[in-house]
Amino acid sequence: MYNNYITVDAVNHINAELSNYCNAACPMCARFDSDQKLVKAITNNRHTTLDDIQYKIGPDVIKNLKMFRSCGNVGDGTMNPECYDIYEFIRKTNPKATLTLNTNGGARTPEFFKEMAKLGVVIIFSIDGLQDTNHLYRRNVKWEKIMENVKSFTDAGGIAIWDYLIFRHNEHQIDEAEALSQQLGFVSFNRKTTTRWDDFDKDGNWLQRKKIAVDDYEIEKPNADNVQKYSNKKWAKHERVTSQKIICQSFSNANVEIFLHANGNVSPCCYLGDLALHESKNLISDYDSVNIHHRSLKEILNGNYFQEIWKGIQGKMQKYKLQTCQQVCGVCQ
């Protein structure tokens, strides 16, 4: 087992939020507050650039990667105008790395997806229903556009995975959607539920919801059987912060991961959210100290923020322990 936390020499997995722009308007996305208003401070203003990857992360780190992926918190990586160029650079620098991209599939052109297939990028398409239901959650995403892009990608030999979020309005279509995925050449079909029903509102009040009002309709939780059957919960969690050691999924089973935010901030994973808005703000006094535009990656990983997180993972009750780490990843039994 490691004696210290994530170091620059050990990083073998990068999840990069390539953009905080998105063509969709999913109502439970962190782009929106509990009143369904766009959070302008963290959306539609930044892309991770090719220069960021080439010079701020650097080829030495890229060569050591087992995985490079883009599954952002508030953006879709395809919205980055340099998306293809970034993946092309990583592929040339590290031919053996697994490359993946999560997308709603509704942006860009069939030609873009064809070229991504040629690079060997695995694409996870988030499609939550069929033609009559997908747009209810993936607002603004056009079905015809998704199908054009999917077909171009799979026809070019691309490895495609279908992620299907289950809601009350689409749970009756799961089998039909899986059958369609097989017809289109997807290699797998993942049934999933979301944990975003319960969350804090903008005033810090805890909300436990079964439905969310959207435009002139409502998004509702799926039936309890589906929630239980397809829940992503795997680890033992506690409602209150404990002194037990945490199972950090960014730092276990030979996985050493960092999350690169579109604004240049670095954290261990995407679950910690925006560092200025969410729980990490209790550990960070100087945001330049966690940003690749102001510090080297080595300085960031050796800095106070990551060291304080490491104390919490070890079970040490420092001034502030990240409850998100415990709730998402769980504790040792």
Side-chain angles (χ1 to χ4, degrees):
M1 185 60 185
Y2 302 96
N3 295 317
N4 54 359
Y5 198 35
I6 298 167
T7 64
V8 70
D9 294 330
V11 171
N12 59 26
H13 184 158
I14 293 177
N15 180 4
E17 184 167 52
L18 294 184
S19 178
N20 65 17
Y21 288 76
C22 191
N23 58 305
C26 306
M28 296 168 77
C29 177
R31 295 173 64 83
F32 298 95
D33 64 22
S34 58
D35 293 327
Q36 294 299 305
K37 294 180 180 178
L38 190 69
V39 185
K40 295 181 180 180
I42 62 172
T43 56
N44 302 341
N45 55 30
R46 297 299 292 266
H47 299 299
T48 297
T49 68
L50 178 59
D51 278 356
D52 292 339
I53 300 298
Q54 286 180 318
Y55 304 114
K56 303 296 185 179
I57 301 300
D60 289 343
V61 173
I62 299 300
K63 289 176 182 177
N64 197 42
L65 295 182
K66 296 179 180 178
M67 165 78 76
F68 179 91
R69 64 188 176 107
S70 180
C71 179
N73 279 336
V74 296
D76 191 300
T78 64
M79 298 295 287
N80 186 326
E82 295 184 305
C83 180
Y84 176 83
D85 302 307
I86 289 170
Y87 276 95
E88 182 183 42
F89 169 74
I90 294 168
R91 173 59 74 215
K92 289 180 177 178
T93 306
N94 184 344
K96 295 183 179 180
T98 298
L99 309 183
T100 73
L101 170 67
N102 289 66
T103 178
N104 60 59
R108 292 296 193 120
T109 64
E111 183 63 24
F112 169 84
F113 284 92
K114 179 180 178 180
E115 293 303 311
M116 292 293 277
K118 292 179 181 178
L119 277 183
V121 180
V122 177
I123 295 189
I124 300 96
F125 290 90
S126 296
I127 309 173
D128 307 324
L130 296 173
Q131 185 169 8
D132 62 332
T133 55
N134 181 63
H135 64 281
L136 296 177
Y137 184 70
R138 302 284 166 182
R139 293 185 296 175
N140 300 334
V141 179
K142 306 301 183 184
W143 183 259
E144 294 78 9
K145 186 69 171 176
I146 301 171
M147 292 297 102
E148 287 179 359
N149 289 338
V150 166
K151 290 174 183 177
S152 179
F153 183 72
T154 55
D155 286 349
I159 299 174
I161 296 170
W162 185 322
D163 271 5
Y164 190 105
L165 273 182
I166 304 172
F167 299 96
R168 183 62 59 89
H169 63 262
N170 68 10
E171 60 187 354
H172 65 289
Q173 296 176 319
I174 297 173
D175 291 341
E176 187 178 353
E178 183 171 16
L180 176 61
S181 75
Q182 294 170 357
Q183 294 173 21
L184 292 171
F186 283 84
V187 299
S188 64
F189 181 89
N190 299 327
R191 301 165 175 84
K192 303 173 69 175
T193 59
T194 179
T195 59
R196 291 181 177 178
W197 294 103
D198 301 335
D199 200 358
F200 292 99
D201 67 16
K202 65 181 185 298
D203 297 319
N205 301 310
W206 184 247
L207 299 176
Q208 290 183 301
R209 303 171 293 185
K210 294 183 178 180
K211 62 177 66 176
I212 297 175
V214 184
D215 301 326
D216 58 349
Y217 59 94
E218 292 179 328
I219 299 290
E220 296 184 62
K221 270 188 174 184
N223 70 59
D225 289 341
N226 278 325
V227 173
Q228 183 175 9
K229 188 174 182 180
Y230 301 116
S231 171
N232 298 321
K233 295 180 180 179
K234 299 179 181 178
W235 317 106
K237 300 175 175 62
H238 295 266
E239 294 303 320
R240 297 180 181 178
V241 172
T242 72
S243 60
Q244 292 170 277
K245 290 185 177 181
I246 291 171
I247 307 167
C248 176
Q249 298 304 308
S250 291
F251 192 65
S252 61
N253 300 321
N255 183 56
V256 184
E257 179 180 352
I258 59 171
F259 181 71
L260 176 63
H261 298 252
N263 65 2
N265 286 341
V266 179
S267 59
C269 71
C270 64
Y271 287 102
L272 296 181
D274 184 87
L275 301 189
L277 297 180
H278 298 98
E279 209 182 3
S280 291
K281 65 184 180 182
N282 295 288
L283 296 178
I284 302 172
S285 58
D286 176 14
Y287 281 91
D288 285 356
S289 70
V290 296
N291 192 286
I292 60 169
H293 301 299
H294 301 279
R295 300 287 189 275
S296 70
L297 183 59
K298 183 175 182 179
E299 289 174 316
I300 294 170
L301 299 182
N302 289 339
N304 183 72
Y305 175 52
F306 276 78
Q307 295 311 308
E308 287 300 303
I309 291 175
W310 178 232
K311 291 177 185 177
I313 289 169
Q314 292 177 299
K316 296 180 180 180
M317 299 294 287
Q318 73 273 36
K319 183 178 179 181
Y320 191 91
K321 184 176 181 180
L322 292 180
Q323 184 165 328
T324 303
C325 294
Q326 181 174 282
Q327 291 300 313
V328 172
C329 287
V331 298
C332 298
Q333 295 300 295

